[in-house]
Amino acid sequence: MPIIEHHQLIHAPIDLCFDLARSVDIHIQTTTFTNERAVAGVTTGLLEMGDTVTFEATHFGVKQKLTAKVIKMDKPHEFIDIMVKGAFHSFMHTHRFIEELDGTLMIDYFQYKSPFGVIGNIADRLFLERYMKTFIASRAEALKKIAENMKGDIG
C-alpha cells in the first residue's frame, strides 16, 4: 500500500491555509488539469466533519467519479478524508498544518490501495504512484500560490 508524503511551505497564516485546503471551490481551481468538478454532496464552500463530496474528473483519459468523506477535523491543524466510492480500492488522505515562523507547513499524507490485486500493484510501480505524487504536488503548489496572493479570508 503506497504512502505518499508531500511537504509544502506556504508563506500565509495557518487558518487561511487550512481553509483553502478544505474548500471545494479551491480544490476545483487547483485541479484544472483533470477538469474536476463537484457533482454531489458538498459542491461549494468549506468541508466540515462528516461531509462528503463527489468529484468528477478525467484521469488517464477516462472520466471518473470519486466520493470522499471527512472523518476527522481538528481546526486548523489537521483533517482527514477517506474514499467511500471510486476507482481506488481505498484511500486515506491526511492534511496536516504546522505553524512556522514564516508561514505554514502543509503536509499531505496520501495512503491508498489500488484495485485489482496484483495487477493494481504492478500499475502502482509502473505509473500510478508517480502520477499521484505529481497530482498532490501540483495541487499543493497551486494552493500555495493562491494563499500567498490572498490578503484576507476566503469567506
Side-chain angles (χ1 to χ4, degrees), residues 89-101:
H89 179 271
S90 63
F91 80 58
M92 182 168 63
H93 189 173
T94 301
H95 310 257
R96 198 162 287 150
F97 303 84
I98 301 168
E99 200 162 18
E100 301 280 335
L101 287 176

Side-chain angles (χ1 to χ4, degrees), residues 63-117:
K63 191 176 280 192
Q64 304 173 33
K65 287 185 180 176
L66 183 140
T67 302
K69 179 177 183 174
V70 178
I71 63 164
K72 181 178 181 186
M73 181 73 64
D74 176 19
K75 298 176 188 178
H77 303 288
E78 180 179 78
F79 71 96
I80 299 173
D81 59 279
I82 60 169
M83 186 196 80
V84 293
K85 186 175 182 184
F88 291 98
H89 179 271
S90 63
F91 80 58
M92 182 168 63
H93 189 173
T94 301
H95 310 257
R96 198 162 287 150
F97 303 84
I98 301 168
E99 200 162 18
E100 301 280 335
L101 287 176
D102 55 348
T104 302
L105 179 61
M106 180 175 75
I107 305 170
D108 285 287
Y109 297 99
F110 185 76
Q111 182 175 349
Y112 71 95
K113 185 174 181 184
S114 296
F116 311 122

